[in-house]
Amino acid sequence: MSTVAGRLEKVEKNLQECQNGLDEVSKKLRNRKDSLPPSEVTRLHSLSVQLGAEVVDCEQQIDQLRRENRKSMALSVLIFVIVVFLYCVYKSITILA
């Protein structure tokens, strides 16, 4: 099973690739719209919509993974505090005995 951080990195990389692809498609549409055949313009528009949807999906996944990461961090801190508290109780009992 991969860690949250590893999955987060993969999704962020995928997001970056989608954004780069979307930028390239947008540039092609802006710069060459007049010289492209209508079928190519239609294809680029549909690709743009598809990449835009994938960007939104990646952003939602990133938000979810970051929430999960925060929960894991909070749980780790809580466990650490409990261990420190138990250690302090143990030390105070051994000093009094």
Side-chain angles (χ1 to χ4, degrees):
M1 184 169 105
S2 62
T3 63
V4 174
R7 290 185 302 189
L8 188 59
E9 286 179 16
K10 287 179 185 177
V11 174
E12 285 176 339
K13 182 180 177 185
N14 188 25
L15 174 65
Q16 185 65 39
E17 290 172 359
C18 290
Q19 287 174 334
N20 290 343
L22 190 59
D23 287 343
E24 288 178 27
V25 169
S26 296
K27 285 179 187 176
K28 284 181 184 178
L29 283 171
R30 273 194 312 266
N31 296 337
R32 301 182 200 162
K33 190 172 186 175
D34 297 331
S35 63
L36 292 173
S39 61
E40 182 68 13
V41 172
T42 304
R43 187 187 72 78
L44 289 174
H45 276 297
S46 74
L47 182 60
S48 175
V49 169
Q50 185 180 18
L51 287 171
E54 200 167 334
V55 165
V56 169
D57 184 49
C58 286
E59 288 172 344
Q60 290 173 347
Q61 287 180 8
I62 287 172
D63 288 342
Q64 177 190 13
L65 288 170
R66 285 183 177 156
R67 278 194 305 272
E68 188 176 335
N69 200 24
R70 281 192 293 270
K71 288 178 188 177
S72 297
M73 181 60 77
L75 184 60
S76 297
V77 169
L78 179 64
I79 291 171
F80 177 74
V81 168
I82 290 171
V83 168
V84 169
F85 174 74
L86 291 175
Y87 176 77
C88 291
V89 169
Y90 171 76
K91 281 305 238 180
S92 66
I93 289 174
T94 57
I95 290 175
L96 295 175

